[in-house]
C-alpha cells in the first residue's frame, strides 16, 4: 500500500510515522508513506498556501491551486483508489471503514488547516471525506495520522502476531477482553485463575464471556448492531 499525506504543516504529522508499528510497516516495505508539503506546489512568491475568505470573516482558507498542482503531479505517477479529505463533516471512521481502506492500494489523505480548503477542492478534487469524531481539531494532520494507523496495522504482516488485529476491540462489535502479564500476583492483586491454567479452550471461553460482559456494560449499543 502507498499513502500520500498532503499538508501545509508536515512537521505536525512526521513523528507518528517514525516509531513503532507505522515505522516497522515501512521498514518491512509493506507500506510506503510520503508526507508532502503543499508549499512545494505553491507558485506565488512567498509560497503561501492560504488566503483570506471571500465575503470576509475570521480565518484563512487553503487555496485550490497548490492542492490541484500536487494532485495532478501525484496522479501522473499512480492511480489512486481514493483522495480523502480529512474533515469533521465526513463519514465517521469506524473499524469496518478501516478494514475497507486497508484493502486499497494507493490512497491520498489531504489535511485541511485554518478554516479548511476552498470548497471547490471538495467539489471537484476529492473522492471521499473522513471524520475521526464529532469534535473540531486545529487541522486534519492528527486525524490523518489516526486514519493511517488504523489502516496500516490491518495490512497482513504488519503486526507480528497475525491474529492480533482480528482480536481487537470492535473487530466483531465486541470490546476486547482484559489482559494480564507477570507477576501473577502484585500487592495481593491476582490474575484470574483460568488464565494460568494452560487450558486453551477454557481460556478462549472465558475471554469471550468477558468481551460480552464488558460490551454489555460499557457499550451496549454495539450488541444491537447487525
Ligand atoms: N479536521 C478537523 N477536525 C477533524 C475531525 N474531527 N476529523 C477529521 N478531520 C478533522
Amino acid at each position: 500500500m502507498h499513502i500520500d499525506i498532503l499538508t501545509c504543516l508536515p512537521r505536525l504529522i512526521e513523528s507518528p510515522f517514525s516509531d513503532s508499528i507505522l515505522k516497522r510497516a515501512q521498514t518491512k516495505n509493506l507500506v510506503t508513506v510520503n508526507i508532502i508539503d503543499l508549499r512545494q506546489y505553491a507558485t506565488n512568491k512567498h509560497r503561501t498556501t492560504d488566503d483570506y475568505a471571500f465575503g470576509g470573516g475570521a480565518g484563512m482558507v487553503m487555496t485550490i491551486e497548490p492542492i490541484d498542482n500536487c494532485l495532478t503531479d501525484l496522479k501522473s505517477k499512480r492511480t489512486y483508489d481514493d483522495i480523502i479529505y480529512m474533515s469533521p463533516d465526513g463519514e465517521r471512521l469506524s473499524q469496518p471503514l478501516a478494514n475497507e481502506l486497508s484493502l486499497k492500494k494507493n490512497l491520498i489523505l489531504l489535511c485541511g488547516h485554518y478554516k479548511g480548503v476552498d470548497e471547490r477542492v471538495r467539489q471537484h478534487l476529492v473522492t471521499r471525506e473522513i471524520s475521526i469524531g464529532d469534535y473540531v481539531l486545529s487541522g486534519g494532520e492528527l486525524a490523518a495520522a489516526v486514519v493511517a494507523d488504523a489502516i496500516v496495522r490491518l495490512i497482513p504482516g504488519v503486526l507480528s502476531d497475525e491474529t492480533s488485529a482480528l482480536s481487537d476491540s470492535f473487530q466483531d462489535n465486541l470490546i476486547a477482553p482484559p489482559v494480564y502479564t507477570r507477576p501473577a500476583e502484585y500487592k495481593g492483586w491476582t490474575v484470574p485463575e483460568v488464565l494460568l491454567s494452560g487450558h486453551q479452550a477454557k481460556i478462549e471461553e472465558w475471554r469471550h464471556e468477558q468481551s460480552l460482559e464488558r460490551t454489555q456494560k460499557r457499550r451496549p449499543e454495539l450488541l444491537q448492531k447487525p
Side-chain angles (χ1 to χ4, degrees):
M1 173 183 274
H2 178 81
I3 305 176
D4 284 304
I5 303 180
L6 280 47
T7 169
C8 53
L9 291 163
R11 273 191 307 167
L12 263 185
I13 194 166
E14 271 155 14
S15 66
F17 297 96
S18 21
D19 255 307
S20 187
I21 288 168
L22 286 179
K23 182 180 178 188
R24 190 158 15 108
Q26 293 173 85
T27 315
K28 285 187 182 172
N29 284 327
L30 295 168
V31 65
T32 45
V33 179
N34 194 13
I35 297 168
I36 301 170
D37 186 351
L38 283 168
R39 284 168 71 98
Q40 289 172 16
Y41 290 92
T43 51
N44 55 23
K45 196 169 136 212
H46 297 291
R47 292 196 174 267
T48 52
T49 55
D50 59 345
D51 209 334
Y52 296 98
F54 279 133
M60 304 294 276
V61 177
M62 285 171 67
T63 53
I64 190 168
E65 200 195 12
I67 297 171
D68 190 31
N69 289 345
C70 178
L71 292 176
T72 304
D73 184 22
L74 295 176
K75 285 193 273 187
S76 71
K77 296 176 199 154
R78 320 186 148 74
T79 308
Y80 287 90
D81 297 285
D82 266 314
I83 300 173
I84 300 168
Y85 175 53
M86 302 311 307
S87 159
D89 320 347
E91 181 183 355
R92 180 90 65 88
L93 181 66
S94 61
Q95 194 61 52
L97 178 53
N99 293 349
E100 180 198 329
L101 293 173
S102 74
L103 302 173
K104 310 277 186 191
K105 197 160 176 285
N106 299 316
L107 290 174
I108 291 176
L109 302 179
L110 169 64
C111 308
H113 218 87
Y114 320 113
K115 276 269 163 214
V117 293
D118 185 305
E119 186 64 21
R120 289 165 293 184
V121 170
R122 301 172 73 172
Q123 285 172 335
H124 304 289
L125 301 178
V126 308
T127 59
R128 192 162 196 171
E129 302 196 5
I130 294 180
S131 162
I132 63 160
D134 285 346
Y135 41 83
V136 180
L137 301 167
S138 318
E141 287 78 8
L142 298 179
V146 167
V147 168
D149 188 296
I151 297 174
V152 169
R153 62 194 300 287
L154 296 170
I155 298 171
V158 167
L159 297 184
S160 33
D161 175 2
E162 285 259 5
T163 58
S164 69
L166 293 175
S167 58
D168 284 342
S169 281
F170 302 109
Q171 207 46 280
D172 46 12
N173 274 346
L174 289 179
I175 289 179
V179 291
Y180 298 85
T181 185
R182 276 185 286 239
E185 188 183 332
Y186 181 74
K187 291 185 176 174
W189 301 324
T190 55
V191 167
E193 204 64 46
V194 61
L195 296 178
L196 310 174
S197 70
H199 194 305
Q200 213 49 46
K202 277 201 180 136
I203 293 172
E204 289 316 319
E205 193 188 324
W206 179 86
R207 285 184 171 149
H208 187 65
E209 281 166 14
Q210 290 289 316
S211 277
L212 277 172
E213 211 172 281
R214 281 204 160 179
T215 312
Q216 186 63 263
K217 211 162 161 187
R218 298 177 186 210
R219 299 289 306 277
E221 78 282 6
L222 290 176
L223 296 173
Q224 313 310 323
K225 288 192 181 171

